[in-house]
Amino acid sequence: MMLWLAALAAFVLTLIIGKTVIAELRKLKAGQEIRKEGPSWHSGKAGTPTMGGIMFILGVGVVVFVLGWKEMLAGEFAHLYVYLLALCFGMIGFVDDYRKVRQHQNEGLTARQKSLLQLLAAVVFLCLMRYEGLLTNQLYVPFLQVTFTVNWIVYLAFAAFVIVGAVNAVNLTDGVDGLAAGVTFVVMVFFAVTAFLWKLNVLALFPAALAGGLAAFFVYNRHPAKVFMGDTGSLFLGGAVAALAFAMDMPLVLIPVGIIYIAETASVILQVGYFKLTHGKRLFKMSPLHHHFELCGWSENKLVTVFSGITLLCCVLAWLGIRGRY
């Protein structure tokens, strides 16, 4: 019942906050600058308000604090730590978005600045979770049902790399109206249901609320989008996905549930590598992968439906791989 309440409350709050946020972004002329390298028809989206991720960040934050207050008084803070890590990444994205808006170009923070800030946030989160006894250095392998104990320093380096990689993979997925929101909605439902079935109720509160917030955001972000989440939203979502995987002590589950994020990232890596090796030839019509399918004639709505559907199937597969753990 609590999870349904969290999802519904976040949905309603995000819808209400969204109207104010979009109006204010328009007043500030916080319009998106479109990449010159992207599909030509995306130029028509120039000027659409960005930084819209603020609406679900605020909506979810209120729900996490209000509905999780009793648990926090009892000394349970796992859901709060997950939200705060996602918020840290969202703030990095906000600074990046703000600089883009001020400079009226599609470049904000440098890659080095973002990487250092993201790495710092990841390490602080991991050390805090370790200090609070909420994170082990045991690596659980889904399907095989085996666990390996890893040296803590090695695990810390591995975990920080995975978190930063996951955050940027989700960021790459945010290139089509509703895509990042649709795919991550499915992932949040997976985490919420899994946490509930494993009786990790306090931890289930956050993904349930974020699923509700994303459903509301999709109302504004579905094609044609009235607002974009910007790096503010996509980095927050990436932080949420990665933090939940580690908080639930199963980071390797990111491979199946994050298959779309991985495919998007791999397409960029392969495109760049192939381009250099062949001195100018392209493996895909355009990367990330969603742009390739756009140029193949797929509509944005079809992309969201297919990619979200693939994520749903992989989340079901992931559950089959972890259900025997507890």
Side-chain angles (χ1 to χ4, degrees), residues 1-2 11 16-17 46 51 56 62 68 70 131 138-139 147 167 186 189 194 196 216 222 253 267 278 322:
M1 183 64 182
M2 180 63 75
F11 178 82
I16 295 172
I17 293 170
M51 297 190 284
F56 58 76
V62 170
K70 182 179 179 181
Y131 177 78
Q138 295 183 326
L139 191 62
T147 303
V167 168
V186 177
V189 171
T194 301
F196 174 75
R222 70 182 189 277
V253 82
S267 70
T278 59
I322 64 173

mmCIF file of all heavy atoms in Angstrom, residues 1-2 11 16-17 46 51 56 62 68 70 131 138-139 147 167 186 189 194 196 216 222 253 267 278 322:
data_model
loop_
_atom_site.group_PDB
_atom_site.id
_atom_site.type_symbol
_atom_site.label_atom_id
_atom_site.label_comp_id
_atom_site.label_asym_id
_atom_site.label_seq_id
_atom_site.Cartn_x
_atom_site.Cartn_y
_atom_site.Cartn_z
ATOM 1 N N MET A 1 0.825 -1.208 0.000
ATOM 2 C CA MET A 1 0.000 0.000 0.000
ATOM 3 C C MET A 1 0.862 1.262 0.000
ATOM 4 O O MET A 1 0.582 2.232 -0.688
ATOM 5 C CB MET A 1 -0.915 -0.018 1.225
ATOM 6 C CG MET A 1 -1.868 1.167 1.286
ATOM 7 S SD MET A 1 -3.026 1.160 -0.110
ATOM 8 C CE MET A 1 -3.943 2.640 0.198
ATOM 9 N N MET A 2 1.948 1.218 0.793
ATOM 10 C CA MET A 2 2.839 2.373 0.897
ATOM 11 C C MET A 2 3.481 2.697 -0.455
ATOM 12 O O MET A 2 3.655 3.870 -0.813
ATOM 13 C CB MET A 2 3.925 2.108 1.940
ATOM 14 C CG MET A 2 4.909 3.264 2.124
ATOM 15 S SD MET A 2 4.115 4.769 2.737
ATOM 16 C CE MET A 2 3.858 4.303 4.457
ATOM 17 N N PHE A 11 3.487 11.189 -8.498
ATOM 18 C CA PHE A 11 2.853 11.495 -9.787
ATOM 19 C C PHE A 11 2.108 12.830 -9.714
ATOM 20 O O PHE A 11 2.293 13.713 -10.561
ATOM 21 C CB PHE A 11 1.886 10.372 -10.170
ATOM 22 C CG PHE A 11 1.145 10.614 -11.458
ATOM 23 C CD1 PHE A 11 1.741 10.325 -12.674
ATOM 24 C CD2 PHE A 11 -0.147 11.134 -11.452
ATOM 25 C CE1 PHE A 11 1.060 10.547 -13.872
ATOM 26 C CE2 PHE A 11 -0.825 11.368 -12.642
ATOM 27 C CZ PHE A 11 -0.220 11.072 -13.858
ATOM 28 N N ILE A 16 1.889 18.781 -10.720
ATOM 29 C CA ILE A 16 1.625 20.139 -10.234
ATOM 30 C C ILE A 16 2.877 21.007 -10.336
ATOM 31 O O ILE A 16 2.831 22.136 -10.848
ATOM 32 C CB ILE A 16 1.119 20.098 -8.774
ATOM 33 C CG1 ILE A 16 -0.239 19.385 -8.709
ATOM 34 C CG2 ILE A 16 1.018 21.504 -8.202
ATOM 35 C CD1 ILE A 16 -0.722 19.116 -7.306
ATOM 36 N N ILE A 17 3.990 20.478 -9.862
ATOM 37 C CA ILE A 17 5.256 21.223 -9.899
ATOM 38 C C ILE A 17 5.654 21.509 -11.338
ATOM 39 O O ILE A 17 6.202 22.567 -11.662
ATOM 40 C CB ILE A 17 6.369 20.437 -9.182
ATOM 41 C CG1 ILE A 17 6.067 20.346 -7.683
ATOM 42 C CG2 ILE A 17 7.737 21.097 -9.395
ATOM 43 C CD1 ILE A 17 6.988 19.393 -6.934
ATOM 44 N N ALA A 46 14.710 23.208 -31.026
ATOM 45 C CA ALA A 46 15.504 24.272 -30.411
ATOM 46 C C ALA A 46 14.591 25.247 -29.673
ATOM 47 O O ALA A 46 13.548 25.650 -30.182
ATOM 48 C CB ALA A 46 16.311 25.019 -31.476
ATOM 49 N N MET A 51 16.121 21.453 -18.461
ATOM 50 C CA MET A 51 16.214 21.382 -17.002
ATOM 51 C C MET A 51 14.890 20.957 -16.367
ATOM 52 O O MET A 51 14.642 21.152 -15.189
ATOM 53 C CB MET A 51 16.692 22.701 -16.379
ATOM 54 C CG MET A 51 18.091 23.105 -16.789
ATOM 55 S SD MET A 51 18.743 24.499 -15.845
ATOM 56 C CE MET A 51 17.851 25.845 -16.586
ATOM 57 N N PHE A 56 10.556 16.287 -11.360
ATOM 58 C CA PHE A 56 10.450 14.995 -10.671
ATOM 59 C C PHE A 56 11.484 14.866 -9.543
ATOM 60 O O PHE A 56 11.270 14.126 -8.583
ATOM 61 C CB PHE A 56 10.507 13.794 -11.631
ATOM 62 C CG PHE A 56 11.729 13.676 -12.502
ATOM 63 C CD1 PHE A 56 12.928 13.249 -12.011
ATOM 64 C CD2 PHE A 56 11.631 13.975 -13.864
ATOM 65 C CE1 PHE A 56 14.046 13.103 -12.828
ATOM 66 C CE2 PHE A 56 12.728 13.829 -14.708
ATOM 67 C CZ PHE A 56 13.944 13.399 -14.188
ATOM 68 N N VAL A 62 10.154 15.231 -1.996
ATOM 69 C CA VAL A 62 9.115 15.472 -0.983
ATOM 70 C C VAL A 62 8.538 14.146 -0.493
ATOM 71 O O VAL A 62 8.380 13.927 0.723
ATOM 72 C CB VAL A 62 7.985 16.362 -1.551
ATOM 73 C CG1 VAL A 62 6.804 16.408 -0.583
ATOM 74 C CG2 VAL A 62 8.503 17.760 -1.837
ATOM 75 N N GLY A 68 8.971 8.607 4.204
ATOM 76 C CA GLY A 68 10.064 7.864 4.832
ATOM 77 C C GLY A 68 10.492 8.436 6.165
ATOM 78 O O GLY A 68 11.486 7.987 6.754
ATOM 79 N N LYS A 70 9.135 8.313 9.179
ATOM 80 C CA LYS A 70 9.040 7.371 10.295
ATOM 81 C C LYS A 70 10.249 6.437 10.322
ATOM 82 O O LYS A 70 10.815 6.163 11.385
ATOM 83 C CB LYS A 70 7.753 6.557 10.178
ATOM 84 C CG LYS A 70 7.533 5.579 11.321
ATOM 85 C CD LYS A 70 6.221 4.822 11.139
ATOM 86 C CE LYS A 70 6.014 3.811 12.271
ATOM 87 N NZ LYS A 70 4.740 3.056 12.091
ATOM 88 N N TYR A 131 30.355 2.667 5.629
ATOM 89 C CA TYR A 131 30.435 3.080 7.033
ATOM 90 C C TYR A 131 29.148 2.753 7.787
ATOM 91 O O TYR A 131 29.185 2.345 8.955
ATOM 92 C CB TYR A 131 30.703 4.586 7.105
ATOM 93 C CG TYR A 131 30.738 5.142 8.512
ATOM 94 C CD1 TYR A 131 31.869 4.974 9.324
ATOM 95 C CD2 TYR A 131 29.642 5.829 9.024
ATOM 96 C CE1 TYR A 131 31.895 5.480 10.612
ATOM 97 C CE2 TYR A 131 29.667 6.340 10.317
ATOM 98 C CZ TYR A 131 30.790 6.164 11.103
ATOM 99 O OH TYR A 131 30.812 6.659 12.383
ATOM 100 N N GLN A 138 31.082 -7.905 -1.264
ATOM 101 C CA GLN A 138 30.804 -9.189 -1.891
ATOM 102 C C GLN A 138 30.069 -8.960 -3.207
ATOM 103 O O GLN A 138 29.085 -8.220 -3.247
ATOM 104 C CB GLN A 138 29.980 -10.081 -0.964
ATOM 105 C CG GLN A 138 30.729 -10.465 0.305
ATOM 106 C CD GLN A 138 29.924 -11.415 1.171
ATOM 107 O OE1 GLN A 138 28.699 -11.332 1.222
ATOM 108 N NE2 GLN A 138 30.607 -12.317 1.859
ATOM 109 N N LEU A 139 30.537 -9.604 -4.238
ATOM 110 C CA LEU A 139 29.967 -9.420 -5.570
ATOM 111 C C LEU A 139 29.071 -10.609 -5.907
ATOM 112 O O LEU A 139 29.536 -11.727 -6.109
ATOM 113 C CB LEU A 139 31.088 -9.279 -6.603
ATOM 114 C CG LEU A 139 30.678 -8.829 -8.006
ATOM 115 C CD1 LEU A 139 30.049 -7.442 -7.965
ATOM 116 C CD2 LEU A 139 31.893 -8.823 -8.928
ATOM 117 N N THR A 147 28.547 -15.848 -4.866
ATOM 118 C CA THR A 147 29.031 -14.562 -4.374
ATOM 119 C C THR A 147 30.532 -14.630 -4.155
ATOM 120 O O THR A 147 31.033 -15.594 -3.550
ATOM 121 C CB THR A 147 28.335 -14.192 -3.050
ATOM 122 O OG1 THR A 147 26.920 -14.166 -3.244
ATOM 123 C CG2 THR A 147 28.798 -12.823 -2.559
ATOM 124 N N VAL A 167 25.744 6.350 -14.939
ATOM 125 C CA VAL A 167 25.185 7.703 -14.991
ATOM 126 C C VAL A 167 25.317 8.289 -16.393
ATOM 127 O O VAL A 167 24.364 8.852 -16.945
ATOM 128 C CB VAL A 167 25.884 8.617 -13.968
ATOM 129 C CG1 VAL A 167 25.533 10.076 -14.203
ATOM 130 C CG2 VAL A 167 25.486 8.210 -12.547
ATOM 131 N N VAL A 186 10.531 1.780 -16.366
ATOM 132 C CA VAL A 186 10.490 0.315 -16.274
ATOM 133 C C VAL A 186 11.535 -0.177 -15.269
ATOM 134 O O VAL A 186 11.258 -1.065 -14.451
ATOM 135 C CB VAL A 186 10.735 -0.316 -17.654
ATOM 136 C CG1 VAL A 186 10.761 -1.843 -17.543
ATOM 137 C CG2 VAL A 186 9.664 0.115 -18.646
ATOM 138 N N VAL A 189 10.364 0.426 -11.722
ATOM 139 C CA VAL A 189 9.334 -0.547 -11.323
ATOM 140 C C VAL A 189 10.009 -1.857 -10.918
ATOM 141 O O VAL A 189 9.632 -2.482 -9.922
ATOM 142 C CB VAL A 189 8.320 -0.778 -12.459
ATOM 143 C CG1 VAL A 189 7.390 -1.951 -12.123
ATOM 144 C CG2 VAL A 189 7.499 0.483 -12.699
ATOM 145 N N THR A 194 11.201 -5.612 -6.726
ATOM 146 C CA THR A 194 12.221 -6.488 -6.144
ATOM 147 C C THR A 194 12.455 -6.160 -4.680
ATOM 148 O O THR A 194 12.510 -7.062 -3.822
ATOM 149 C CB THR A 194 13.545 -6.375 -6.924
ATOM 150 O OG1 THR A 194 13.329 -6.741 -8.290
ATOM 151 C CG2 THR A 194 14.608 -7.288 -6.327
ATOM 152 N N PHE A 196 10.424 -4.746 -2.632
ATOM 153 C CA PHE A 196 9.218 -5.116 -1.877
ATOM 154 C C PHE A 196 9.186 -6.625 -1.619
ATOM 155 O O PHE A 196 8.924 -7.065 -0.492
ATOM 156 C CB PHE A 196 7.974 -4.695 -2.656
ATOM 157 C CG PHE A 196 6.686 -5.168 -2.037
ATOM 158 C CD1 PHE A 196 6.182 -4.557 -0.897
ATOM 159 C CD2 PHE A 196 5.986 -6.230 -2.596
ATOM 160 C CE1 PHE A 196 4.998 -5.010 -0.320
ATOM 161 C CE2 PHE A 196 4.808 -6.682 -2.025
ATOM 162 C CZ PHE A 196 4.318 -6.072 -0.878
ATOM 163 N N ALA A 216 4.541 11.047 -14.499
ATOM 164 C CA ALA A 216 4.029 12.420 -14.620
ATOM 165 C C ALA A 216 4.881 13.232 -15.587
ATOM 166 O O ALA A 216 4.358 13.987 -16.412
ATOM 167 C CB ALA A 216 4.008 13.089 -13.247
ATOM 168 N N ARG A 222 6.472 13.475 -23.533
ATOM 169 C CA ARG A 222 6.174 12.611 -24.671
ATOM 170 C C ARG A 222 6.148 13.462 -25.953
ATOM 171 O O ARG A 222 5.900 14.661 -25.905
ATOM 172 C CB ARG A 222 4.848 11.889 -24.474
ATOM 173 C CG ARG A 222 3.610 12.767 -24.558
ATOM 174 C CD ARG A 222 2.338 11.942 -24.298
ATOM 175 N NE ARG A 222 1.127 12.700 -24.571
ATOM 176 C CZ ARG A 222 0.547 13.533 -23.745
ATOM 177 N NH1 ARG A 222 1.086 13.749 -22.547
ATOM 178 N NH2 ARG A 222 -0.560 14.182 -24.070
ATOM 179 N N VAL A 253 23.310 -6.765 -11.753
ATOM 180 C CA VAL A 253 21.979 -6.807 -12.347
ATOM 181 C C VAL A 253 21.783 -5.647 -13.326
ATOM 182 O O VAL A 253 20.854 -5.647 -14.138
ATOM 183 C CB VAL A 253 20.888 -6.773 -11.248
ATOM 184 C CG1 VAL A 253 20.617 -5.341 -10.789
ATOM 185 C CG2 VAL A 253 19.588 -7.411 -11.739
ATOM 186 N N SER A 267 27.237 1.746 -28.736
ATOM 187 C CA SER A 267 27.121 2.253 -30.103
ATOM 188 C C SER A 267 28.035 3.451 -30.329
ATOM 189 O O SER A 267 28.615 3.602 -31.414
ATOM 190 C CB SER A 267 25.669 2.626 -30.423
ATOM 191 O OG SER A 267 25.254 3.780 -29.704
ATOM 192 N N THR A 278 38.911 2.800 -39.720
ATOM 193 C CA THR A 278 38.637 2.761 -41.168
ATOM 194 C C THR A 278 38.865 4.109 -41.839
ATOM 195 O O THR A 278 38.553 4.272 -43.024
ATOM 196 C CB THR A 278 37.189 2.305 -41.431
ATOM 197 O OG1 THR A 278 36.283 3.210 -40.790
ATOM 198 C CG2 THR A 278 36.968 0.888 -40.886
ATOM 199 N N ILE A 322 17.714 -13.527 -10.218
ATOM 200 C CA ILE A 322 18.011 -13.154 -8.825
ATOM 201 C C ILE A 322 16.985 -13.662 -7.823
ATOM 202 O O ILE A 322 17.197 -13.554 -6.617
ATOM 203 C CB ILE A 322 18.097 -11.622 -8.676
ATOM 204 C CG1 ILE A 322 16.737 -10.978 -8.973
ATOM 205 C CG2 ILE A 322 19.191 -11.040 -9.568
ATOM 206 C CD1 ILE A 322 16.672 -9.482 -8.686
#
